[in-house]
């Protein structure tokens, strides 16, 4: 008998004819499934067909079925009866058990497939499913490290099981929910569950769900309240066991917390002791942070007196924002017991807690205070505070004692280190000042360094240095500490000003100390005192060899301050060193200026000598060259008349005449460059001069129609003293260069306006073209005599321009970019003596 072979269509038709779930597996994947199988899984066809068939098996059964599948594929599986496996839970169905029967079928294209017939045996008992879920949650609770983690995990597990739950804490004859929810109406059932040690079920009229109170087994004051639809006493044993697991986990978490607390206490105390002994101890805030962590405090505050007999004020803190810091700037009432009477740590009373809650808006309400002393003398107060409802206990106070002693030791060590560091810093500052004043000879640098140095050395708010201008009879602000440096350079104080402390010091040449400006008549209203918010001022003279160099002022904006004799002596010694450095720098500047003047005079002398020699040589060359040139000009003219030249003869005679003329112009330019001359200055009309130069340059160029020349003159420009002929020559030379640099055409702009250049008011003339520009590497050479880039140039045009501008006591510069044009800028003084008529 032949075995029937099936196609995919035949198999699909076959299984769809059955009402129970059936699918065909091929190579371990779902190949074909009927609608009943898809409905059983609660999935669509595209979500099932093609996937591994073990994807639709409960994870706990997957490993067992994988082994069976491998045996079946190897042909060694012996099945006497259908096997069972679990379906995973879906969103609307729980875990179900399924029995399957597997039959091999032949395929038309070859190979075999498995026809799997499924029978759903039904859902498992709800109690069993709840127990499984709670067992999973119980396993998670074992790993929890804190009470909060245990409670959070237990509530999450019950929520996953479809139940709601709350932890309730006994409060007298009722319960308080830890999550802050409303109280329950039948809390008496909770008390009964605690007293009898078993679950007590109940329900509230009008509510569909049932709830149960579960004692945790390890405490007589806390129950677990669980509610859910259909919750009945049949769940009691499962829930009671889970509650005991939760209670045990809470106990373990508390024990672990106690161990961790003890370990943390030892570590914290040991670290605090090591901090005190370390070369670099921590800050008080670091110590208070550790103390807050150890005691579970929201804030820790350290109060110390401002003076030996002064009131306590907040010195360091952690856990306070701006508002609370302002409220707790001083200890509140009984929270700060008398430093002379307090012994050890004290807890806050109800009245003190009420005052703390009112002052902090209910954010803080419980506290403890510890008196700090050294050698039997009160040194401060340490306070730790918590939120309302979390009072401190005796264990906290016992721990607070040794930590307070360590804190006191730490404060003393930091004070000693601060004093040592201060002395070291003063020494370094003095060394830095000496190094700076000897390493630089610039007065501005010395003054800036000195101002910053005095602020650090004397621990003041600001330092100001004024230099004496003897000729003007004023003190000029020259330097200040960085906060007011820019403004103070604009300050000028007459030496005879009767209301100025600086002027008085300059006149009397002695220090003047004002410990409290509010007690000096009119001083608090002084403009500078108000601007800098000064409370105390010390002014000292800067003198060198009986000469007044300036005045130094230091102030304190924090409050009145007494400047003792040792303080003034240190300030005077430092000012003496600063004055000596300034005097040396000025001497060096004077010497350097003399050297610079000497070098300039020498350069001018060498330049003049060279020009004289060049002039003599030019006169000799001109004399020796121009006579033969005259003969050549006459010979060329005679040859033109006598020969009546034609063709090449005319070309040769033209070349001879042109080159002779160029040689004559070169000799003329050389004589023009070397000939000494003194400009004849007269007040000239600038617009007319510019127009004349532009018209002459346009005529010399032959009128290139593609080039446009424009003139822009500032309105109401005054007449300027200059030599009209020479300045016209300057403009024409530059304009011709501009026109020659633009064979393709373009715009040449001539602009004129007034400008403040350095200390003088000048006439500025710009000549800007759009030509080929000057290569960057050649810009610095364009004014050198005999340097040119033109085939027919002499290289003297711009050299003559530069010389003429210098003879007018003016300035010449240029800007050029290859391909974008060149701009020549001339600056001539607007005011200088004119020449006699």
């Amino acid at each position: 008998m032949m075995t029937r072979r099936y196609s995919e269509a035949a198999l699909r038709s076959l299984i769809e004819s059955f009402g129970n779930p059936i699918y065909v597996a091929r190579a371990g994947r779902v190949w074909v499934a009927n609608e009943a199988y898809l409905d059983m899984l609660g999935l669509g066809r595209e979500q099932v067909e093609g996937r591994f068939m073990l994807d639709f098996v409960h994870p706990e059964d997957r490993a067992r079925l994988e082994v069976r599948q491998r045996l079946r594929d190897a042909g060694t599986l012996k099945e006497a009866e259908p096997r069972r496996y679990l379906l995973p839970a879906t969103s609307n169905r729980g875990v179900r058990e399924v029995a399957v029967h597997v039959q091999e079928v032949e395929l038309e294209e070859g190979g075999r497939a498995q026809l799997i017939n499924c029978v759903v045996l039904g859902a498992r008992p709800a109690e069993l499913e709840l127990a499984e879920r709670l067992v999973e949650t119980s396993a998670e609770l074992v790993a929890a490290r804190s009470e909060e983690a245990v409670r959070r995990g237990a509530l999450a597990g019950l929520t996953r099981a479809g139940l709601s739950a709350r932890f309730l804490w006994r409060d007298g004859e009722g319960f308080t929910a830890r999550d802050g929810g409303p109280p329950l109406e039948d809390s008496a059932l909770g008390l009964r569950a605690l007293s009898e040690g078993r679950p007590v079920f109940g329900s509230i009229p009008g509510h569909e769900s049932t709830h149960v109170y579960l004692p945790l087994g390890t405490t007589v004051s806390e129950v677990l309240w669980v509610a859910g639809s259909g919750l009945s006493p049949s769940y009691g044993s499962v829930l009671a066991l889970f509650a005991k697991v939760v209670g045990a986990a809470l106990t373990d978490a508390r024990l672990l917390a106690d161990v961790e607390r003890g370990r943390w206490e030892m570590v914290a105390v040991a670290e605090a002791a090591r901090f005190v002994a370390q070369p670099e101890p921590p800050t008080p805030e670091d110590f208070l942070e550790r103390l807050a962590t150890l005691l579970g405090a929201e804030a820790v505050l350290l109060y110390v007196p401002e003076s030996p007999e002064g009131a306590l004020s907040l010195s360091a803190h952690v856990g306070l924002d701006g508002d609370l810091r302002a409220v707790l700037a001083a200890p509140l009432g009984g929270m700060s017991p008398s430093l002379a009477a307090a012994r050890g740590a004290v807890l806050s009373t109800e009245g003190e807690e009420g005052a703390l809650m009112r002052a902090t808006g209910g954010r803080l309400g419980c506290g403890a205070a510890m008196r700090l002393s050294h050698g039997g003398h009160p040194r401060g107060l340490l306070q730790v505070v918590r939120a309302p409802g979390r009072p401190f206990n005796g264990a906290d106070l016992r721990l607070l004692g040794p930590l307070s002693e360590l804190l006191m030791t730490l404060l003393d060590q930091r004070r000693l280190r601060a004093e040592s560091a201060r002395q070291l810093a003063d020494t370094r500052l003095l060394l830095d000042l000496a190094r700076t004043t000897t390493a630089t000879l610039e007065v501005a640098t010395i003054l800036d360094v000195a101002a910053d140095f005095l602020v650090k050395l004397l621990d003041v708010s600001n330092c100001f240095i004024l230099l004496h201008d003897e000729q003007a009879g004023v003190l000029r602000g020259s330097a200040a500490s960085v906060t007011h440096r820019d403004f103070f350079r604009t300050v000028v104080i007459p030496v005879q000003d009767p209301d100025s402390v600086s002027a008085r010091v300059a006149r009397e040449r002695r220090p003047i100390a004002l410990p409290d400006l509010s007690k000096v008549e009119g001083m608090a209203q002084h403009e500078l005192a108000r601007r800098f918010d000064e409370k105390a001022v010390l002014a000292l003279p800067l003198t060198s060899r009986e000469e007044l160099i300036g005045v130094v002022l230091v102030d304190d904006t924090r409050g009145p301050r007494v400047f003792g004799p040792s303080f003034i002596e240190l300030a005077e010694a430092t000012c003496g060193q600063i004055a000596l450095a300034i005097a040396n720098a000025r001497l060096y500047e004077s010497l350097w200026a003399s050297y610079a003047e000497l070098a300039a005079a020498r350069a001018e002398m060498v330049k003049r000598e060279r020009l004289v020699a060049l002039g003599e040589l030019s006169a000799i060359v001109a004399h020796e060259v121009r006579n033969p040139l005259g003969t050549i000009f006459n010979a060329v003219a005679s040859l033109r008349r006598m020969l009546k030249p034609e063709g090449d003869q005319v070309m040769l005679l033209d070349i001879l005449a042109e080159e002779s003329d160029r040689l004559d112009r070169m000799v003329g330019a050389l004589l023009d460059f070397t000939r000494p001359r003194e400009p004849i200055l007269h007040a000239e009309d600038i617009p007319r001069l510019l127009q004349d130069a532009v018209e002459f340059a346009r005529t010399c160029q032959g009128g290139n129609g593609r080039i446009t020349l424009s003139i822009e003159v500032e309105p109401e420009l005054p007449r300027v003293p200059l030599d009209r002929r020479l300045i016209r020559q300057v403009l024409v030379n530059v304009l011709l260069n501009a026109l020659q640099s633009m064979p393709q055409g373009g715009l040449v702009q001539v602009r004129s306006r007034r400008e403040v250049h350095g200390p003088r008011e000048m006439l500025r003339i710009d000549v800007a073209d759009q030509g080929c520009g000057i290569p960057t590497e050649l810009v610095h050479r364009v004014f050198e005599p005999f340097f040119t880039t033109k085939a027919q140039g002499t290289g003297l045009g711009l050299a003559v321009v530069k010389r003429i501008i210098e003879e007018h006591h003016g300035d010449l510069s240029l800007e050029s970019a290859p391909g974008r044009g060149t701009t020549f800028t001339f600056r001539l003084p607007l005011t200088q003596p004119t020449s006699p008529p």
Side-chain angles (χ1 to χ4, degrees):
M1 184 175 68
M2 296 180 61
T3 303
R4 181 178 177 181
R5 295 178 180 273
Y6 291 90
S7 65
E8 179 184 352
L11 287 172
R12 190 177 297 278
S13 177
L14 173 65
I15 65 177
E16 286 294 350
S17 63
F18 292 95
N20 59 303
I22 302 177
Y23 69 96
V24 179
R26 185 180 181 185
R29 294 179 180 270
V30 178
W31 187 31
V32 178
N34 66 357
E35 291 294 336
Y37 183 73
L38 300 177
D39 183 65
M40 179 184 72
L41 297 180
L43 299 173
R45 187 174 300 278
E46 67 280 359
Q47 296 173 288
V48 175
E49 292 185 350
R51 289 179 57 183
F52 285 102
M53 59 184 185
L54 294 182
D55 289 348
F56 308 107
V57 175
H58 196 280
E60 294 179 0
D61 263 347
R62 194 167 296 165
R64 177 174 64 87
L65 294 178
E66 284 177 351
V67 173
R68 293 179 59 79
Q69 183 65 30
R70 285 197 297 270
L71 295 175
R72 179 179 289 111
D73 293 340
T76 60
L77 181 64
K78 305 295 184 180
E79 288 188 288
E81 59 182 19
R83 294 296 177 180
R84 300 183 179 188
Y85 68 88
L86 298 177
L87 288 176
T90 61
S91 59
N92 55 0
R93 297 175 184 174
V95 176
R96 289 161 296 164
E97 192 172 17
V98 176
V100 299
H101 180 270
V102 181
Q103 180 180 349
E104 299 285 343
V105 295
E106 298 284 344
L107 302 178
E108 284 185 353
E109 64 269 22
R112 304 171 68 85
Q114 299 167 3
L115 183 67
I116 303 173
N117 189 3
C118 304
V119 178
V120 179
L121 301 179
R124 295 186 303 170
E127 294 85 350
L128 180 58
E129 287 204 14
L130 177 62
E132 288 181 350
R133 291 183 181 272
L134 295 184
V135 166
E136 294 176 359
T137 302
S138 299
E140 296 174 358
L141 297 182
V142 173
R145 305 286 295 177
S146 66
E147 287 189 61
E148 181 61 27
V150 171
R151 298 180 196 280
R152 189 167 54 247
L155 295 178
L158 290 168
T159 300
R160 288 195 298 269
L163 303 173
S164 60
R166 299 166 69 185
F167 283 95
L168 305 179
W169 185 265
R170 182 173 181 175
D171 184 12
E173 295 302 317
F175 287 92
T176 300
R178 287 187 176 272
D179 58 6
L184 299 176
E185 299 179 8
D186 56 354
S187 57
L189 297 180
L191 298 175
R192 179 180 169 187
L194 280 177
S195 62
E196 298 179 2
R198 64 177 181 84
V200 176
F201 286 82
S203 62
I204 300 176
H207 291 264
E208 295 182 359
S209 63
T210 304
H211 57 265
V212 59
Y213 290 90
L214 302 172
L216 299 181
T218 58
T219 175
V220 295
S221 59
E222 189 175 17
V223 297
L224 178 61
W225 178 85
V226 180
S229 179
L231 196 64
S232 66
S234 62
Y235 295 88
S237 59
V238 173
L239 293 175
L241 180 59
F242 178 71
K244 291 181 179 180
V245 171
V246 173
L250 288 173
T251 300
D252 292 342
R254 293 189 189 100
L255 292 175
L256 180 61
D258 291 341
V259 172
E260 291 291 334
R261 175 185 173 87
R263 186 182 66 83
W264 176 246
E265 289 177 359
M266 291 187 294
V267 170
V269 173
E271 284 186 355
R274 284 198 299 270
F275 288 163
V276 173
Q278 281 181 350
E280 185 64 34
T283 64
E285 287 78 8
D286 291 336
F287 189 91
L288 297 184
E289 185 70 41
R290 293 176 181 273
L291 195 150
T293 303
L294 183 64
L295 295 177
E298 272 72 26
V300 182
L301 305 91
L302 173 63
Y303 297 94
V304 297
E306 297 179 355
S307 61
E309 302 299 330
L312 293 175
S313 62
L314 187 62
S315 172
H317 67 87
V318 294
L320 297 183
D321 56 22
D323 295 338
L324 291 182
R325 187 164 56 248
V327 170
L328 300 177
L332 292 177
M335 284 289 291
S336 57
S338 170
L339 293 180
R343 292 293 183 269
V346 295
L347 295 174
S348 57
T349 64
E350 291 185 3
E352 293 164 354
E353 291 178 359
L356 184 61
M357 290 182 62
R358 289 190 297 272
T360 61
R363 296 165 63 180
L364 301 174
C366 301
M370 182 72 190
R371 172 179 179 266
L372 301 178
S373 62
H374 182 71
H377 301 287
R379 294 287 298 276
L381 181 70
L382 178 65
Q383 287 186 352
V384 289
V385 289
R386 290 177 179 167
R390 296 182 56 230
F392 290 92
N393 53 36
D396 295 328
L397 296 186
R398 287 192 301 271
L399 180 60
L400 192 59
L403 290 178
S404 300
E405 294 179 3
L406 288 174
L407 175 60
M408 194 68 249
T409 305
L410 175 64
L411 294 177
D412 287 339
Q413 182 169 348
R414 290 187 62 84
R415 178 179 55 80
L416 294 174
R417 285 179 57 83
E419 293 178 0
S420 301
R422 175 74 180 183
Q423 295 175 359
L424 180 60
D426 291 348
T427 304
R428 287 178 175 173
L429 288 173
L430 289 170
L431 183 60
D432 289 342
L433 179 64
R435 185 184 298 114
T436 302
T437 54
T438 55
T440 182
L441 291 172
E442 294 182 0
V443 174
T445 302
I446 293 174
L447 293 177
D448 288 342
V449 171
D452 294 335
F453 166 79
L454 285 172
V455 169
K456 298 177 181 178
L457 177 67
L458 303 178
D459 187 27
V460 293
S461 301
N462 301 295
C463 175
F464 308 100
I465 301 179
L466 303 102
L467 294 184
H468 181 218
D469 185 344
E470 186 176 3
Q471 185 176 0
V474 296
L475 296 171
R476 300 186 184 277
S478 300
S481 46
V482 66
T483 307
H484 306 291
R485 186 163 291 167
D486 293 335
F487 164 76
F488 197 72
R489 288 194 174 101
T490 65
V491 173
V492 177
I493 301 176
V495 174
Q496 300 304 323
D497 186 348
D499 299 325
S500 171
V501 177
S502 304
R504 180 181 169 189
V505 169
R507 293 193 301 270
E508 301 178 4
R509 301 194 181 185
R510 64 177 182 85
I512 296 179
L514 302 176
D516 189 350
L517 292 185
S518 63
K519 297 181 179 179
V520 180
E521 183 178 358
M523 187 57 64
Q525 304 304 319
H526 194 276
E527 179 183 355
L528 294 181
R530 290 201 316 272
R531 182 184 184 91
F532 302 138
D533 192 26
E534 294 174 323
K535 302 296 189 299
V537 170
L538 172 65
L540 307 104
L542 280 175
T543 58
S544 176
R545 300 182 182 90
E546 304 301 325
E547 176 187 358
L548 179 65
I549 293 179
V551 175
V552 173
L553 290 99
V554 294
D555 66 16
D556 203 318
T557 61
R558 294 164 292 190
R561 178 173 179 175
V562 176
F563 301 103
S566 59
F567 182 94
I568 296 177
E569 183 178 351
L570 175 61
E572 282 185 308
T574 308
C575 289
Q577 184 177 353
I578 296 171
L580 181 60
I582 295 173
N584 291 339
R586 285 180 171 178
L587 182 61
Y588 174 79
E589 289 178 353
S590 176
L591 182 61
W592 182 256
S594 300
Y595 281 144
E597 292 176 2
L598 182 60
R602 179 183 178 187
E604 183 66 23
M605 183 181 299
V606 171
K607 178 181 176 181
R608 289 182 180 275
E609 291 294 331
R610 290 176 61 187
L611 289 176
V612 169
L614 185 58
E616 293 177 356
L617 178 61
S618 300
I620 295 172
V621 171
H623 177 73
E624 296 299 329
V625 173
R626 277 191 166 172
N627 286 337
L629 281 178
T631 303
I632 293 173
F633 284 138
N634 291 334
V636 171
S638 298
L639 287 174
R640 290 183 189 277
R641 289 194 307 272
M642 294 170 57
L643 297 179
K644 306 297 183 181
E646 297 178 359
D648 292 341
Q649 296 174 351
V650 173
M651 182 185 67
L652 293 173
L653 288 175
D654 288 343
I655 292 174
L656 182 61
E658 182 180 345
E659 292 301 318
S660 300
D661 184 61
R662 188 169 71 85
L663 187 58
D664 184 61
R665 289 198 309 274
M666 185 179 297
V667 171
L670 183 60
L671 289 173
D672 195 34
F673 175 71
T674 58
R675 183 183 300 117
R677 57 195 163 193
E678 186 70 24
I680 301 175
L681 306 180
H682 294 292
E684 300 290 348
D685 184 17
I686 298 303
R688 182 176 177 182
L689 174 61
L690 298 180
Q691 187 66 38
D692 185 21
V694 168
E695 293 298 332
F696 182 78
R698 183 183 287 116
T699 301
C700 292
Q701 185 64 16
N704 187 345
R706 292 176 297 179
I707 297 179
T708 303
L709 290 93
S710 68
I711 302 176
E712 297 178 12
V713 181
E714 178 183 310
E716 299 181 3
L717 196 65
R719 289 177 171 269
V720 179
L722 50 83
D723 189 316
R724 179 183 181 84
R725 179 180 60 85
L726 296 179
I727 297 302
R728 180 178 177 274
Q729 180 182 353
V730 166
L731 293 171
V732 169
N733 283 359
V734 175
L735 284 168
L736 289 177
N737 281 349
L739 296 173
Q740 293 168 6
S741 71
M742 299 192 310
Q744 305 301 323
L747 174 65
V748 178
Q749 293 180 301
V750 181
R751 301 183 293 268
S752 179
R753 59 185 174 88
R754 284 178 288 189
E755 178 186 72
V756 176
H757 185 69
R760 299 184 297 174
E761 190 175 14
M762 310 284 281
L763 167 69
R764 173 172 174 164
I765 301 175
D766 294 315
V767 179
D769 64 57
Q770 298 176 344
C772 57
I774 303 173
T776 305
E777 66 273 12
L778 299 180
V779 169
H780 69 285
R781 299 191 60 193
V782 296
F783 297 113
E784 293 181 6
F786 306 109
F787 173 78
T788 181
T789 59
K790 301 176 183 177
Q792 302 295 327
T794 64
L796 292 173
L798 290 179
V800 171
V801 167
K802 184 173 185 296
R803 183 176 176 185
I804 292 174
I805 294 298
E806 289 177 348
E807 289 170 348
H808 279 73
H809 308 290
D811 177 72
L812 171 63
S813 63
L814 71 88
E815 294 181 1
S816 183
R820 289 186 291 178
T822 302
T823 300
F824 283 87
T825 300
F826 314 104
R827 293 182 178 86
L828 300 172
L830 279 177
T831 56
Q832 57 179 324
T834 58
S835 302

